[in-house]
Amino acid sequence: MKPNLTIIPAHPGTRILLADADARDFCEVPVIAWSITPPRDGHAASVQPVTLAGDAVELDAHAWAVQHPHGAVEIPSCCGYQSAAAWLADLREQAYV
């Protein structure tokens, strides 16, 4: 049985930022909507970006963050930054990537 799925439009200008291997640069992927699968069978709800390329964004393969239309950057699981440059600097400092 397929789980219920909700699609919510993203605010225009929302992007996923994918850091390169050494956190010196990133690519931007515009988000057009969010796909939300409700919690079930002991699993947490899942929220995934929907892009023009469909579900092709490999979030597990990159350090990533959400950039809001006003420019602030957020890692959904933990923290926010004023800019993409601040996010990359923190990644380099943590030797995360």
Side-chain angles (χ1 to χ4, degrees):
M1 180 165 95
K2 290 186 178 181
N4 292 332
L5 184 68
T6 301
I7 303 293
I8 298 174
H11 289 280
T14 302
R15 300 179 183 290
I16 294 293
L17 305 180
L18 302 170
D20 63 11
D22 62 1
R24 299 283 173 209
D25 204 2
F26 61 90
C27 68
E28 300 178 14
V29 180
V31 176
I32 59 173
W34 298 99
S35 170
I36 303 169
T37 304
R40 64 182 178 85
D41 300 329
H43 294 100
S46 170
V47 179
Q48 295 293 318
V50 177
T51 67
L52 294 174
D55 295 336
V57 178
E58 291 289 334
L59 297 179
D60 294 337
H62 299 274
W64 66 279
V66 176
Q67 185 174 41
H68 299 283
H70 53 80
V73 174
E74 175 184 5
I75 299 174
S77 63
C78 74
C79 43
Y81 301 92
Q82 293 296 317
S83 67
W87 168 63
L88 286 176
D90 191 46
L91 285 177
R92 287 190 301 271
E93 186 175 301
Q94 295 178 29
Y96 179 73
V97 291

